[in-house]
Amino acid sequence: MISGSVASGKSTVAAALSGILDNAPVLTFDHYAAYVKWPQDMRQWIEAGADPKYIHIPKLKDDLLSLLHGKEIVDPSDGKILKPSKYILLEEPSGRERQEIIDLIDLVVYIDTPQDICVTRLVERAIDMEEWQSKGTFSGQAKDDLVRQMDAVALWITQYQQARSMYIGVSDLVKHRADIVINGMNTVEYSTREIIAFLTRQAQLL
C-alpha cells in the first residue's frame, strides 16, 4: 500500500513502482469515489477524530481479492483492465486503519510530504499554472476559464479548512504504523530505489 496525505505524491510513486515491478496493477482509492460509504454524520465523524475504520468501500475490497485470487478486474474510473501479478499496489491514504482490508495488506509505504507542499500542489492542480509560468500573468485567459479555476481553488480551500484536523490526524496515525516512511521531497527515482531496497531486505528475511 502507498499511503500519504492528499497530493503527497502517492500516484506518481505508485506509477513508477508499477513500471519497475513488471507493470504491477495499481488500485487507486480515488477511482472508487462513487462506491465509498462515508459515515452518515460527517461533521461528528471529523470532530471525533475521523477514524478511517468507518469508511467502507466493498467494491475496492472485492477487486483487491479478485487480483489476489488471480482474476483480472476493470478499473471503475477509466475502464482499464488490471491483470493479477506477483505484486499488487494499492494507493490508499488510510494505511492499516481501514479494518475491512487490513488483513490483505503486506506492506505500507508512507509518503511523508509537508502539509504546506500538499496544499500548494492542490491549488496548482486547480489553476492553469502552465499558462501563468509561460506568461507571468493570467490576463490573457477568458473570464469563464478564470472563474472556473477560482471556484475550484475556493472550494478546495473551504473543504481543507473544514477538514484540516482530519487530514493531519489521519496522516500522523498512518505514518506511525507504516513499515517504511519515504521523504516526499526526494525525487521519484530516489524514492522508488529506497522502496525497492526495502522490499529486497524484507524478502531476504523471509
Side-chain angles (χ1 to χ4, degrees), residues 186-206:
N186 287 334
T187 65
V188 176
E189 292 77 11
Y190 186 93
S191 295
T192 51
R193 285 201 302 270
E194 193 173 357
I195 295 169
I196 294 299
F198 183 83
L199 286 173
T200 302
R201 291 195 298 272
Q202 292 297 106
Q204 291 172 345
L205 293 174
L206 295 178

Side-chain angles (χ1 to χ4, degrees), residues 21-33:
L21 300 173
D22 298 324
N23 294 315
V26 180
L27 278 73
T28 305
F29 179 92
D30 288 347
H31 290 190
Y32 290 81

Side-chain angles (χ1 to χ4, degrees), residues 3-28:
S3 292
S5 188
V6 179
S8 59
K10 299 186 298 298
S11 297
T12 304
V13 171
L17 277 176
S18 174
I20 295 171
L21 300 173
D22 298 324
N23 294 315
V26 180
L27 278 73
T28 305

